[in-house]
Amino acid sequence: MTTGIQGRKSSLFLPTSSSATSDYLSLANQGTGIANLSPNSDEPFSISAWFFTEETGTQTIMSNVVNSANDGYWFGLNGGKASFKWSNTGGFPQLTSSGNETTYYGGPWVHMIVTYNGGGNATGLTLYTNNAFAVAGPSSTIGTTTNATDDIRIGQGSLGGFKGCVSNVSFWDKELTPAEIDYIYHGNDGGRGPGDLNYHPSFSNCIGWWLSDNADDDSSTIYDSTANSRNFTVNGSSSVLRRMSP
């Protein structure tokens, strides 16, 4: 399979077997609030990631819900379609893109991002894939996050693991604009592919950035490339990390 990604090289590699859900990255629960990667309904945020997969079905990119009874968000592919779910007291808003998303399988790499304006209603949620609008949230009040006690994970959550590769996951404490999303999508000197987010005009709002070609990444730890030092632990295979060629 073609796994080259333009620009940045680090990538989380996960086995393609349907039973391979033991390889993932984890960060111990940090508490509630956007500063702890667990936003409340009045806090704007964005989550961005690049992925490659040859599998269909439901797959987790990033989530802070391991136990489905707990509050939190889930970001990934639902039935093969771009999706974001946010479980909280008083609501369970969900966005899932429409249409046949067959272009996600077998390459090339796909960029996916969810943004939220902090307005307290799911209409403030928007999903984008490959720099294009995918779907906006339904009219639904977003409740209070009161029971977000699980780990934060990349490559696994309450709906299972991810079968393929994930790269350049970033978490922001603002609703990124289409222009700011375009800067991520065309980050490699204007070419399609992730570049160095240190040069993003809103990098001061990036509160976590992982799988970013960090020279310190190794078989046990994936380091945060912002100053916040929220480093993820590698669970499962010691060869989870792959450095892909562009």
Side-chain angles (χ1 to χ4, degrees), residues 78-99:
N78 184 15
K81 299 178 181 180
S83 185
F84 179 80
K85 301 179 182 182
W86 195 0
S87 176
N88 45 65
T89 303
F92 188 73
Q94 176 177 339
L95 296 77
T96 301
S97 60
S98 60

Side-chain angles (χ1 to χ4, degrees), residues 101-146:
E101 311 288 354
T102 56
T103 55
Y104 291 172
Y105 309 118
W109 284 75
V110 177
H111 180 242
M112 184 167 131
I113 184 167
V114 61
T115 67
Y116 175 61
N117 66 7
N121 194 288
T123 55
L125 287 161
T126 308
L127 267 172
Y128 301 83
T129 56
N130 287 334
N131 208 31
F133 169 84
V135 63
S139 180
S140 173
T141 299
I142 298 174
T144 304
T145 300
T146 58

Side-chain angles (χ1 to χ4, degrees), residues 4 38 141 149 177 229:
S38 181
T141 299
T149 58
T177 66
S229 300

Side-chain angles (χ1 to χ4, degrees), residues 43-83:
E43 295 176 311
F45 67 87
S46 301
I47 306 172
S48 169
W50 290 81
F51 70 86
F52 177 97
T53 184
E54 291 184 329
E55 299 287 328
T56 59
T58 299
Q59 304 189 64
T60 302
I61 294 175
M62 185 175 192
S63 179
N64 69 342
V65 181
V66 179
N67 182 339
S68 59
N70 290 344
D71 290 349
Y73 56 84
W74 180 92
F75 179 59
L77 300 176
N78 184 15
K81 299 178 181 180
S83 185

Side-chain angles (χ1 to χ4, degrees), residues 2 24 37 42 83 91 106 112 138 145 149 171-172 182 194 210 213 220:
T2 303
Y24 60 91
L37 308 180
D42 61 348
S83 185
M112 184 167 131
T145 300
T149 58
F171 207 110
W172 307 70
D182 180 79
W210 308 275
D213 207 19
S220 62

